[in-house]
Amino acid sequence: MKMMMIVTREALESEVVEIIQKCDVLGYTILPQAHGAGEKGVVAASLFSHGPNVVIFAVIDDDRADLVTKVFKVFIAERVAMRKELCSFFKDVSPAL
């Protein structure tokens, strides 16, 4: 068995839980409203932040751990690509604003 800890923005909680469930991980615990500091600075719920984080702990069978890791790597890569596309879009239209 392996313990996976996922820290993500509250806004992504449902997508992350959906991935966990699709990977047949039946046992997980969600800790909402997680605040602290990390790579992106201080995380706190405020008008100017992206909202609080959630921490999700999941116990995964060894044979499923690799699958879950691969699925999350794809999820992260897609998110990064979307963000780059969104940033590129805003760069393209910003002179017109």
Side-chain angles (χ1 to χ4, degrees):
M1 299 292 265
K2 297 198 185 291
M3 171 68 76
M4 178 178 276
M5 180 178 70
I6 303 162
V7 180
T8 187
R9 296 286 185 206
E10 192 174 62
L12 296 175
E13 178 183 339
S14 62
E15 290 178 71
V16 171
V17 169
E18 184 178 331
I19 290 170
I20 290 170
Q21 291 172 341
K22 283 183 177 178
C23 290
D24 294 326
V25 176
L26 303 177
Y28 58 89
T29 299
I30 300 172
L31 303 175
Q33 300 289 317
H35 303 277
E39 184 178 291
K40 303 288 184 189
V42 174
V43 176
S46 75
L47 182 62
F48 302 106
S49 75
H50 297 287
N53 286 336
V54 295
V55 179
I56 302 172
F57 293 100
V59 177
I60 304 170
D61 290 328
D62 289 336
D63 60 331
R64 293 211 138 310
D66 288 338
L67 169 68
V68 175
T69 301
K70 287 176 185 174
V71 171
F72 273 110
K73 284 182 178 180
V74 169
F75 175 74
I76 292 166
E78 289 171 352
R79 284 274 169 193
V80 168
M82 281 185 355
R83 184 174 180 178
K84 286 180 182 174
E85 289 174 17
L86 185 62
C87 289
S88 176
F89 171 77
F90 281 112
K91 283 182 191 172
D92 291 343
V93 298
S94 61
L97 298 175

